[in-house]
Amino acid sequence: MADVLRRGFLGGAALLLGVFAVAVVRERRSGAAYGEVADLMEREWFSAGKVFVAVLVGLAGSWAAACVGGTRSGLSESVPILFPLGLVAAFVVCRWDAVDDRHPLSVKIVALVAAPFALGTIMTGW
């Protein structure tokens, strides 16, 4: 299951980065400045802070699994596995915010804390 999750999130993140690159090229061709493109990324694609939080929470899940009886991966192994998870989680939250600002905090907590913790436990801890 962990291998399927790793491949799925890696594929999903690669697809998101590819589509984001196309969006950036389109914005630049339409005359947008680099600051406007950065704002677009933070607002509609994936905020760097949200990616960071999801990766840290996934890492905490990995270490929690190690305390319970799994294997603890080092940072050099865990972060490359968890980074695509962070990209996908941040994208989901940014898209929800772009569509509708009225999502409760609980939805963001599930997307950025609960899901990465559980998936970090499965993907790198066991």
Side-chain angles (χ1 to χ4, degrees), residues 27-123:
E27 287 291 317
R28 288 291 298 152
R29 284 190 177 169
S30 69
Y34 286 111
E36 293 170 349
V37 173
D39 287 341
L40 171 76
M41 180 188 81
E42 289 284 326
R43 187 180 59 251
E44 294 185 18
W45 286 91
F46 29 79
S47 168
K50 291 176 179 132
V51 173
F52 184 68
V53 165
V55 170
L56 284 181
V57 170
L59 192 59
S62 171
W63 289 345
C67 290
V68 175
T71 58
R72 181 173 177 204
S73 301
L75 282 175
S76 61
E77 293 177 23
S78 296
V79 172
I81 293 171
L82 294 171
F83 184 71
L85 164 68
L87 280 177
V88 172
F91 176 75
V92 167
V93 170
C94 286
R95 291 311 303 162
W96 277 340
D97 284 345
V99 172
D100 185 14
D101 266 346
R102 295 176 285 154
H103 289 290
L105 181 63
S106 61
V107 172
K108 293 178 183 177
I109 289 173
V110 167
L112 293 175
V113 177
F117 187 84
L119 290 171
T121 301
I122 295 168
M123 290 171 69

Side-chain angles (χ1 to χ4, degrees), residues 17-33:
L17 288 175
V19 173
F20 173 69
V22 169
V24 166
V25 168
R26 284 184 179 166
E27 287 291 317
R28 288 291 298 152
R29 284 190 177 169
S30 69

